[in-house]
Amino acid sequence: MAFCSSRFTRVLLVGVALQCTNSTGPGGPPYTHPSAIGSDSIPLTGRPFAVAISSTSVVFVTQLDAGYMGRTTVTDGSFGTDFPVGAIPSQVRVSPNGRTVYVNNQDAGAVKFLDTSADTTVHTTTVPGTVLCVGLSSSGTRLYALTDYRGVYVIDARSGAVLDSINPTAVGSILTGVAFHPTRPLMYVSARDAGTVATINTQTDAVVHLDSVVGGSVQNVAISTDGSQLFATDISRSKLIAWDLLSGSLASTHQEYPIGTPVSRNAFDVAVTRDNAQVYVSTLVDGKVYVLDRVTRAPIDSIRTGGSARYIEFDALGETAVIPNEGGWVTFVH
């Protein structure tokens, strides 16, 4: 079983904005974003890939090549003993109460339900095709398995039963990204090679709108916390794509913003900070996470992670960003 050292490297970030912006939602806590004065790069073997953070700041990171998952907290300096989750775990989600973690085994077409108190698999749901990504509704009641050529499967997040499916002719193929509207029953699914984003009604599981990025490959998607904008990464042209949302559906036009070096397989993940102020974009070639103003999309700065930065996740209040890196470490930006 893989084990990671408790030692970590402190990396100072020069020229990164130091000001944090706080905002408070109606009846909610004060959200913020990382001040980015520095980051901890903590070693983790097995090609760190996807990340999920519970409401109590427990961090779960999948190890794509090792078939394991590491666990720590946003304030710890090391990963403990990893536990097995099966081959090619390319995505991870955690239930709102933090008791269940969902991990897909990509080529097996499986989604595992893990008990976080015992580190054991309590259920496995299999579907046709290759599961490239999974999404979890904000209520924590529905899982969505995004496949290569078999569309989307809707799964009960408690029992593991397959409840419905969405035909690939409606959503496209190579489904790699998913995001949920914060107030409307809408889900956004990207089909990478088709360069499209489908807007899906989660009450009926019907596609209500399909938008295309001509010449692009839409890898991942993220929505602003107020539901006014949808963002996506174009991995083939290394761009950030932005749409205004009209009644929850995408506008007919979008805007494009270059990210880092203009080469294929660079811009990968996109995430909006908890305070709705900034957009983070990870890059595979540049080894950086680019930070942009959410409203103007003006560049603020870049966080130098080295290696190939994959998925981005923020803790509950937005104080820390966690970014797995294929190079063999996980970056914590506080």
Side-chain angles (χ1 to χ4, degrees):
M1 183 172 293
F3 180 78
C4 293
S5 168
S6 62
R7 298 181 61 188
F8 62 92
T9 304
R10 188 73 174 179
V11 181
L12 294 181
L13 304 176
V14 179
V16 180
L18 306 182
Q19 180 65 39
C20 288
T21 301
N22 291 294
S23 64
T24 304
Y31 297 108
T32 186
H33 59 261
S35 60
I37 57 173
S39 66
D40 300 334
S41 293
I42 303 176
L44 184 65
T45 61
R47 196 177 172 195
F49 200 79
V51 56
I53 306 176
S54 74
S55 58
T56 57
S57 298
V58 179
V59 177
F60 303 91
V61 176
T62 62
Q63 298 157 269
L64 193 70
D65 292 342
Y68 280 76
M69 185 164 65
R71 180 170 58 190
T72 186
T73 69
V74 295
T75 57
D76 199 356
S78 66
F79 283 89
T81 301
D82 309 338
F83 53 95
V85 294
I88 318 181
S90 58
Q91 189 53 270
V92 56
R93 308 292 183 185
V94 59
S95 62
N97 62 17
R99 297 173 185 170
T100 307
V101 168
Y102 308 95
V103 178
N104 71 306
N105 299 131
Q106 188 164 294
D107 290 351
V111 180
K112 281 188 168 65
F113 294 48
L114 308 172
D115 183 337
T116 59
S117 64
D119 294 345
T120 57
T121 300
V122 295
H123 188 81
T124 300
T125 296
T126 57
V127 300
T130 296
V131 179
L132 301 177
C133 183
V134 290
L136 180 65
S137 65
S138 57
S139 63
T141 59
R142 293 288 185 271
L143 273 172
Y144 297 86
L146 281 60
T147 70
D148 50 358
Y149 303 107
R150 301 297 187 96
V152 178
Y153 288 88
V154 186
I155 302 169
D156 189 299
R158 290 161 293 194
S159 70
V162 177
L163 304 174
D164 200 0
S165 63
I166 303 171
N167 198 292
T169 59
V171 292
S173 58
I174 313 296
L175 307 178
T176 52
V178 59
F180 297 87
H181 196 282
T183 59
R184 296 176 180 270
L186 296 172
M187 174 175 68
Y188 306 90
V189 172
S190 60
R192 187 193 66 194
D193 293 358
T196 61
V197 177
T199 303
I200 299 169
N201 184 315
T202 55
Q203 294 178 332
T204 63
D205 297 331
V207 174
V208 297
H209 186 79
L210 189 69
D211 192 84
S212 298
V213 177
V214 177
S217 300
V218 184
Q219 179 71 39
N220 286 308
V221 288
I223 194 167
S224 61
T225 61
D226 62 359
S228 65
Q229 295 164 316
L230 187 78
F231 298 96
T233 49
D234 179 347
I235 193 171
S236 65
R237 299 182 299 160
S238 197
K239 290 188 176 184
L240 175 69
I241 310 297
W243 291 269
D244 289 328
L245 297 180
L246 304 176
S247 300
S249 294
L250 302 187
S252 58
T253 59
H254 61 268
Q255 295 175 298
E256 301 182 357
Y257 305 88
I259 298 295
T261 306
V263 295
S264 179
R265 289 189 55 78
N266 196 23
F268 179 73
D269 195 26
V270 56
V272 179
T273 57
R274 298 293 187 206
D275 62 359
N276 212 34
Q278 298 177 345
V279 176
Y280 280 40
V281 180
S282 64
T283 55
L284 303 178
V285 174
D286 292 347
K288 295 179 179 181
V289 173
Y290 292 89
V291 183
L292 300 88
D293 183 271
R294 181 189 64 83
V295 177
T296 66
R297 264 79 80 181
I300 294 175
D301 221 308
S302 59
I303 300 168
R304 294 186 294 276
T305 62
S308 295
R310 282 289 183 175
Y311 285 98
I312 305 163
E313 186 62 77
F314 299 98
D315 66 356
L317 294 181
E319 297 173 338
T320 301
V322 181
I323 307 154
N325 195 298
E326 288 189 27
W329 58 87
V330 181
T331 298
F332 289 69
V333 184
H334 302 290

